[in-house]
Amino acid sequence: MPVTDSMFLMAESREHPMHVGGLQLFTPPEGAGPDFVRSVVETMRDHTAVSEKFGRRPADPVGILGNTWWSEVDSIDLEYHVRHSALPKPGRIRELFQQVSLWHETLLDRHRPMWEVHVVEGLEDGRFAVYSKVHHSLVDGVSALRYMTLALSPDPDDREGRVVWQPGLGRRRKPEPATAPSKGGLPFNPISAAKQIGGLTGEVLGMLPASMKVAGTSIRDHDYKAPFQAPHTIFNVPIGGARRFVAQSYSLDRIDAVRQQAGATVNDIVLAMCGAALRAYLLELNELPDRSLTAMVPVSLHKEGAESTSNAVGAVISTLATDLTDPAERVAAIQDSVRAARRVMGELSPLQVLALSAANIAGLAPGMLPGYRGVARPPFNLVISNVPGPREAMYWNGAHLDGVYPASIPWEGQAVNITICTNNRNLEFGITACRTSVPHVQRLIHHLEDALSELEKAFT
């Protein structure tokens, strides 16, 4: 097991579940009878063949060393992993979120493959839901959403009923190598190896001046946000194990209209919505600090107008401009902050970008240590991430996917997480929080709608 995966097992405790999840809402196909949801469960359980990734568990669920390698499971009880539930009346979305919150806070059983799927009926509008969770040591949030998308189909008449654990889901045939490697592997090329080592050495030697450049920028450029410049808030406290999950969809057309008028990116507008919502929420609790909140966010580092198919993503820290009241000024401040981070990373090599991104995230690492109780100032106030989802209408056995809402991991000292997912022409916001530290988190949903309305008034 890679060290990065085993860390999520070793850091897990009752207060710190280390699984990611997601909630999907479906409208049954036209003419579906009252037993349609039961047929969904039966179809899922009929997929008894399980891929290697979803058919393994920690070698020794009790011992520490047993959490550093995997053990394959001989047989899997799909009645345990695929569960059928119904909401209590009146079956509102509110009851669904309450149930998902309870499921999301419970630990996965390490004696079994660490994933669960809950199929839920009883919604008052006739829809059904699927909540799934999988341990972060198996897949991260982006990979989990990719598996989910591969199980869906753009064809409403597709009745194959794929599931994320089936072997070969989305498998692509790899091209054959131009020359077959020898039994000992690829032939050793000393000239090529020397070039690679020399290039790596140059990258390492370049870290120090790159670090000095970043440090200088953080002093000279007030728009650039470095770690540990965030104010202390009610989000940056030790957390318990209880969770609260809420979600909402927002039209991408609405956000795109604001984006065009503001000359901003979708990410800028999303951050402005979050900043305004968090400001209103903290004001209600009389907990708004004078200094603006900051968020760790992933951003694209491709230069404007440049065409590239390679990955160029960095983890940067941006202001949320919660100290400002005007929505247009908030957008401008966020744009300046993100541009400052992009300018810094744009002058670095890919390895140096990776190192700087790791340094920005490193402030979360102590929270994985037992007994950690935080420092005077948090590295940032929360994580706001955006994961790619379906870009067209999708179906599962004829049922239309109405919404897909990510449920993520609050960390010690980071009591709330906001994750956004694209779904056709919507942006789906999923908010996961410590139930004790972040009271009435559902108010953030209403504040997000108010924030978008204010942006529309300011720019359209």
Side-chain angles (χ1 to χ4, degrees):
M1 184 188 305
V3 174
T4 51
D5 293 344
S6 62
M7 284 176 57
F8 288 101
L9 289 166
M10 295 181 180
E12 187 170 58
S13 67
R14 174 62 191 91
E15 292 76 21
H16 307 101
M18 291 293 171
H19 51 255
V20 294
L23 174 67
Q24 305 163 46
L25 278 176
F26 291 93
T27 295
E30 187 176 352
D35 294 330
F36 179 78
V37 177
R38 177 169 292 279
S39 72
V40 169
V41 176
E42 292 174 350
T43 299
M44 289 182 172
R45 289 176 177 169
D46 285 342
H47 283 274
T48 55
V50 179
S51 66
E52 180 182 359
K53 180 177 288 292
F54 287 89
R56 60 191 183 188
R57 64 167 177 81
D60 180 3
V62 179
I64 295 178
L65 291 179
N67 292 320
T68 60
W69 71 89
W70 296 112
S71 174
E72 293 186 10
V73 176
D74 294 332
S75 61
I76 296 179
D77 182 2
L78 286 179
E79 289 193 1
Y80 174 87
H81 289 277
V82 181
R83 307 179 184 186
H84 188 184
S85 304
L87 291 178
K89 291 184 178 180
R92 297 168 299 181
I93 294 295
R94 178 178 179 178
E95 278 76 41
L96 177 62
F97 288 164
Q98 289 174 342
Q99 187 58 62
V100 170
S101 299
L102 294 174
W103 285 329
H104 198 63
E105 69 186 37
T106 58
L107 297 174
L108 287 160
D109 185 1
R110 296 193 181 194
H111 293 82
R112 304 171 184 266
M114 302 177 71
W115 56 273
E116 295 174 3
V117 175
H118 299 256
V119 183
V120 188
E121 61 180 318
L123 275 76
E124 61 180 350
D125 57 9
R127 294 186 293 178
F128 70 96
V130 177
Y131 164 76
S132 57
K133 65 179 182 180
V134 59
H135 203 272
H136 205 302
S137 59
L138 284 175
V139 296
D140 59 23
V142 174
S143 298
L145 189 59
R146 178 178 175 272
Y147 277 109
M148 182 275 294
T149 304
L150 288 171
L152 301 172
S153 172
D155 182 4
D157 296 324
D158 187 336
R159 295 296 190 271
E160 186 174 335
R162 289 170 290 275
V163 291
V164 297
W165 60 86
Q166 70 184 55
L169 181 69
R171 181 179 296 166
R172 298 290 183 267
R173 180 177 176 84
K174 296 181 180 180
E176 296 294 332
T179 58
S182 64
K183 292 182 179 180
L186 290 173
F188 176 72
N189 185 330
I191 298 177
S192 177
K195 288 182 178 179
Q196 292 178 10
I197 294 173
L200 181 59
T201 302
E203 291 278 9
V204 172
L205 292 175
M207 290 294 184
L208 180 59
S211 299
M212 295 178 63
K213 181 187 298 183
V214 172
T217 300
S218 65
I219 296 173
R220 297 188 307 272
D221 190 344
H222 296 294
D223 293 325
Y224 181 81
K225 301 300 177 185
F228 299 102
Q229 291 182 343
H232 188 81
T233 72
I234 62 170
F235 306 142
N236 309 116
V237 295
I239 64 175
R243 295 290 177 263
R244 188 73 170 93
F245 172 77
V246 294
Q248 185 62 279
S249 297
Y250 298 93
S251 167
L252 186 55
D253 292 335
R254 292 178 63 190
I255 294 172
D256 197 51
V258 173
R259 175 197 68 78
Q260 293 183 33
Q261 293 297 320
T265 66
V266 169
N267 197 53
D268 294 334
I269 303 305
V270 166
L271 291 178
M273 289 174 60
C274 292
L278 291 166
R279 172 186 169 84
Y281 173 82
L282 292 173
L283 273 174
E284 287 182 341
L285 301 175
N286 197 30
E287 292 284 355
L288 180 68
D290 294 333
R291 183 192 294 263
S292 173
L293 273 66
T294 66
M296 194 280 288
V297 297
V299 297
S300 171
L301 299 176
H302 289 301
K303 295 181 179 180
E304 295 182 7
E307 294 184 5
S308 176
T309 57
S310 61
N311 292 321
V313 178
V316 306
I317 299 174
S318 171
T319 182
L320 293 177
T322 54
D323 56 333
L324 301 176
T325 59
D326 185 85
E329 292 180 2
R330 181 173 297 110
V331 171
I334 289 170
Q335 285 181 290
D336 290 341
S337 180
V338 173
R339 285 170 180 163
R342 286 169 58 101
R343 281 196 300 271
V344 169
M345 288 195 169
E347 297 175 356
L348 305 179
S349 70
L351 181 59
Q352 291 168 347
V353 167
L354 182 64
L356 179 57
S357 298
N360 286 339
I361 299 173
L364 294 178
M368 300 179 73
L369 301 175
Y372 174 76
R373 283 295 176 266
V375 294
R377 181 172 287 179
F380 38 81
N381 298 110
L382 73 160
V383 176
I384 302 176
S385 57
N386 195 331
V387 293
R391 301 308 297 264
E392 58 183 327
M394 301 295 281
Y395 301 83
W396 191 88
N397 261 21
H400 179 263
L401 177 68
D402 296 337
V404 51
Y405 307 103
S408 195
I409 303 176
W411 296 81
E412 189 76 359
Q414 299 277 317
V416 64
N417 176 286
I418 302 177
T419 303
I420 301 97
C421 170
T422 53
N423 176 32
N424 197 10
R425 294 303 302 168
N426 286 329
L427 285 185
E428 321 276 36
F429 283 64
I431 303 175
T432 313
C434 169
R435 194 182 193 100
T436 304
S437 306
V438 188
H440 311 297
V441 70
Q442 68 274 11
R443 293 180 182 174
L444 278 173
I445 294 298
H446 304 295
H447 292 316
L448 281 169
E449 173 60 37
D450 292 341
L452 181 54
S453 297
E454 291 175 357
L455 287 166
E456 288 174 323
K457 292 178 181 178
F459 288 105
T460 61

